[in-house]
Amino acid sequence: MSVLVVGGAGYIGSHVVRLLRESGTDVVVVDDLSNGVPARIGDTTLEQIDISANAAPEALAGVIRREKVDAVIHFAAKKQVGESVERPLFYYQQNIGGLVNVLEAMRRENVTKMIFSSSASVYGAPEDAVVTEDSPTEPINPYGRSKLIGEWILADCERAWGLNWVALRYFNVAGAGWPELGDSVIMNLIPMVLDKLADGAAPRVFGDDYPTPDGTCIRDYVHVKDLAEAHIAALHGLDGQLTHHVFNVGTGRGSSVTEVIESIGRVSGLDTSPLVEGRRAGDPPKLIASADRIREDLGFVAKADLDEIVASAWEAWQAGPRRIEA
Ligand SMILES: NC(=O)c1ccc[n+]([C@@H]2O[C@H](COP(=O)([O-])OP(=O)(O)OC[C@H]3O[C@@H](n4cnc5c(N)ncnc54)[C@H](O)[C@@H]3O)[C@@H](O)[C@H]2O)c1
């Protein structure tokens, strides 16, 4: 079994590369290193290819042939919501164009197994706090739309040439399975808080007047190593008969912004008293995954609780360039 991991030098992809290699699976990584770090994948074969380029299908087909690839896990995408609003065409060119090129190479080489990184952002700002895979999909920004369109493209390829696919809709991914594989982008809550603490500043809370018990937004935090395990479960699932293609990956439990910041205070021993600012546009009060389908169909259950996630994120931060002294 040989797996092509596209975007494998990134935060989540490198965790999956490590799990696959630990299980003895042959892995080849394609990444343009726009946000990837080669050191994350050690001596795994790396092909530096921009998958959104016109020449990409040919180059990818060559990699698939040479490495005798049986399955593709597709992480490569641009992921900053705010930037996607400012540069929608770039996001569609990268996220949709890139996916189409990967699928074209697979079609040419008769590779039919694909796992796709989707996102809870396909749900937009839903009415219900707990979303199932059948909840309405109404993304509210180009990033979220690029993920939903990606799922539609996969379904069309299934109809046209028998693509066998799974889309995993990740909720709030955090932590690090190994300290050197932490997230280098300051975009999600835990890195944002650690970034402020590294500057000697107070963490910021955007809105404490939401209709939640402590007034701050509630999200479903999933440990990146658990998420990586979900990909392994999905890969096994593709060997059998799947009744569904789309799965939420979360814990089914919510934590508020205040709870996360308090957990960071407990783990780090630092004063994490926040500065409360106004609400940000488009933040739903509560967004939690229903984790039933992935448990029932793929046997996957996320194990880590909030303190374990935060402790691993703290350890990874402290192993990086901006260590925080207490
Ligand atoms: N991190 C999250 O919280 C989160 C949540 C939901 C979904 N996702 C999705 O999961 C996937 C992985 O996210 P991540 O956090 O690991 O991001 P990341 O930026 O760390 O990893 C993406 C990787 O893809 C590579 N890449 C980007 N564009 C490319 C291109 N045109 N050609 C080749 N390689 C390219 C980057 O260099 C990087 O190594 C993305 O598709 C993202 O949208 C992430």
Side-chain angles (χ1 to χ4, degrees):
M1 168 100 168
S2 173
V3 178
L4 166 59
V5 183
V6 186
Y11 167 51
I12 303 169
S14 61
H15 281 83
V16 172
V17 167
R18 197 164 293 197
L19 288 186
L20 285 169
R21 296 227 27 214
E22 281 184 359
S23 72
T25 306
D26 291 333
V27 178
V28 55
V29 167
V30 163
D31 200 300
D32 70 350
L33 302 181
S34 54
N35 199 35
V37 181
R40 284 186 172 138
I41 56 167
D43 62 358
T44 309
T45 306
L46 169 66
E47 295 287 341
Q48 195 172 340
I49 297 170
D50 173 0
I51 57 159
S52 69
N54 289 339
E58 191 61 38
L60 289 162
V63 173
I64 289 173
R65 263 196 315 276
R66 192 192 67 222
E67 302 289 332
K68 301 188 173 52
V69 167
D70 310 291
V72 177
I73 309 184
H74 182 65
F75 293 99
K78 301 296 181 268
K79 61 170 181 174
Q80 310 224 21
V81 169
E83 188 187 38
S84 82
V85 175
E86 283 155 26
R87 304 181 66 195
L89 297 180
F90 176 62
Y91 268 68
Y92 288 125
Q93 186 256 346
Q94 287 287 306
N95 295 6
I96 305 295
L99 172 66
V100 167
N101 285 341
V102 171
L103 288 165
E104 172 59 15
M106 291 173 66
R107 187 190 64 79
R108 285 188 202 173
E109 299 302 321
N110 298 314
V111 175
T112 55
K113 289 183 199 163
M114 150 78 81
I115 299 174
F116 173 65
S117 299
S118 189
S119 162
S121 64
V122 299
Y123 297 113
E127 303 263 304
D128 295 331
V130 179
V131 287
T132 73
E133 291 81 354
D134 297 323
S135 296
T137 44
E138 294 169 2
I140 57 173
N141 50 59
Y143 170 74
R145 281 188 275 277
S146 78
K147 293 296 176 184
L148 186 58
I149 294 167
E151 293 182 6
W152 293 342
I153 292 172
L154 296 173
D156 283 337
C157 290
E158 178 190 359
R159 284 184 278 269
W161 46 272
L163 181 73
N164 185 10
W165 62 284
V166 162
L168 298 176
R169 293 176 175 169
Y170 313 158
F171 279 64
N172 290 60
V173 189
W178 293 268
E180 66 277 18
L181 299 188
D183 193 1
S184 52
V185 180
I186 311 295
M187 195 181 71
N188 298 324
L189 177 60
I190 297 173
M192 281 168 68
V193 171
L194 294 174
D195 182 53
K196 284 288 171 199
L197 295 173
D199 288 345
R204 297 192 305 172
V205 168
F206 298 103
D208 66 353
D209 57 352
Y210 285 96
T212 60
D214 65 25
T216 64
C217 288
I218 292 178
R219 296 287 179 275
D220 187 335
Y221 293 87
V222 60
H223 196 303
V224 64
K225 197 170 178 194
D226 283 333
L227 174 62
E229 297 281 4
H231 291 76
I232 308 297
L235 206 49
H236 293 311
L238 286 177
D239 288 333
Q241 280 297 95
L242 284 176
T243 32
H244 298 103
H245 295 286
V246 174
F247 298 92
N248 288 341
V249 191
T251 63
R253 297 180 301 276
S255 304
S256 72
V257 171
T258 297
E259 285 170 335
V260 172
I261 293 177
E262 285 175 357
S263 172
I264 295 172
R266 270 196 305 282
V267 163
S268 67
L270 297 168
D271 175 9
T272 55
S273 312
L275 191 68
V276 179
E277 299 183 14
R279 294 181 179 194
R280 291 186 307 195
D283 273 344
K286 236 175 156 183
L287 190 56
I288 298 170
S290 161
D292 294 345
R293 180 184 284 182
I294 194 163
R295 186 190 64 244
E296 287 161 12
D297 287 19
L298 300 180
F300 167 79
V301 177
K303 295 186 216 75
D305 65 15
L306 180 62
D307 278 357
E308 290 171 88
I309 294 171
V310 167
S312 73
W314 170 251
E315 198 189 342
W317 183 278
Q318 293 298 73
R322 296 178 64 216
R323 188 182 163 81
I324 305 169
E325 301 299 338

